[in-house]
Amino acid sequence: MALPQSRLVVGFDLDLTLVDSRERIMRSYIHALRDVGVEVSREDLEPHMGIPLTHTVAAVAPAVDADALVARYRRYYDDPASPPTEPMRGAAEALSAVRQHGGRIVVVSAKYVPAVHTALEEAGLVDLVDAVYGELFAEDKSAALLEQEATVYVGDHPGDMAAAAGAGALAVGVTTGSHDAQALSAVGAAVTLEHLAAFPGWLRGHLTGR
């Protein structure tokens, strides 16, 4: 049975789902930690991409004051000289596909809200988004998805699959982050896509019951 268009609300994670800010995040962490005497490598940081800043600090530099480090990180992140945030492959097409089917789009991210808006604007996606939530991770995202009555949630992290489950939304995994299809399926992804370029075709099939 086709899904009524009026009920279509699709949630998207931000980092490594809709936008590629990996280089900006990496450099901000490395510079901020170096300022307080902690040397970390990209390999140290890679497993923590997409999770809240305070969680990452606790994992890679537990002796550092997390709040002070986060403030320092954000100064580097907001520096106009930081690497630009780019759209992930197929991001604009995925959002446009939701709009073409009469749907609404909500972005729910672990980033703080001003940074979410900045990232979407830099990636050229801001005009395609109806609502934005920030500073939410894993199951904490469910409340925002429930508030927006999301029917689908798309993300690259196991926490995103948990968020979808908590909101009763269909979990769609994309393997553009650090987790492959097997890992995302194991934690609840109903479908996995290699990248968002495959999303419009999947959405057509989903809405027509194929």
Side-chain angles (χ1 to χ4, degrees):
M1 177 182 295
L3 186 69
Q5 288 188 359
S6 60
R7 289 187 52 216
L8 178 62
V9 180
V10 181
F12 288 87
D13 172 53
L14 183 69
D15 287 309
L16 303 181
T17 298
L18 282 176
V19 306
D20 184 358
S21 52
R22 186 189 303 267
E23 184 65 18
R24 189 170 190 156
I25 291 169
M26 288 282 191
R27 288 183 56 175
S28 298
Y29 270 129
I30 289 169
H31 286 305
L33 285 164
R34 187 174 294 156
D35 285 351
V36 296
V38 177
E39 292 289 336
V40 296
S41 68
R42 291 170 182 268
E43 290 73 21
D44 295 329
L45 292 169
E46 186 66 37
H48 307 287
M49 293 293 291
I51 71 172
L53 297 174
T54 52
H55 292 202
T56 299
V57 176
V60 302
V64 173
D65 180 87
D67 290 337
L69 196 284
V70 166
R72 190 177 295 271
Y73 166 94
R74 286 177 174 164
R75 286 199 296 273
Y76 281 114
Y77 188 92
D78 293 337
D79 187 332
S82 293
T85 300
E86 304 286 350
M88 294 295 283
R89 177 182 175 186
E93 292 80 2
L95 299 184
S96 295
V98 176
R99 288 284 185 87
Q100 288 163 9
H101 288 287
R104 298 181 65 255
I105 296 157
V106 55
V107 171
V108 188
S109 171
K111 264 185 166 55
Y112 76 130
V113 172
V116 179
H117 285 290
T118 297
L120 289 170
E121 185 163 356
E122 287 186 3
L125 303 174
V126 68
D127 291 338
L128 293 169
V129 173
D130 298 292
V132 165
Y133 293 79
E135 297 186 82
L136 298 172
F137 179 64
E139 292 88 348
D140 292 342
K141 293 184 175 184
S142 298
L145 297 173
L146 284 166
E147 182 175 305
Q148 292 291 324
E149 300 182 337
T151 51
V152 176
Y153 188 58
V154 185
D156 69 287
H157 193 279
D160 297 322
M161 306 303 102
L170 186 72
V172 176
V174 287
T175 60
T176 44
S178 302
H179 303 277
D180 62 17
Q182 183 176 0
L184 294 174
S185 296
V187 291
V191 61
T192 59
L193 306 173
E194 186 176 355
H195 41 65
L196 286 180
F199 182 83
W202 171 81
L203 183 63
R204 284 193 299 273
H206 173 62
L207 293 176
T208 57
R210 296 201 304 270

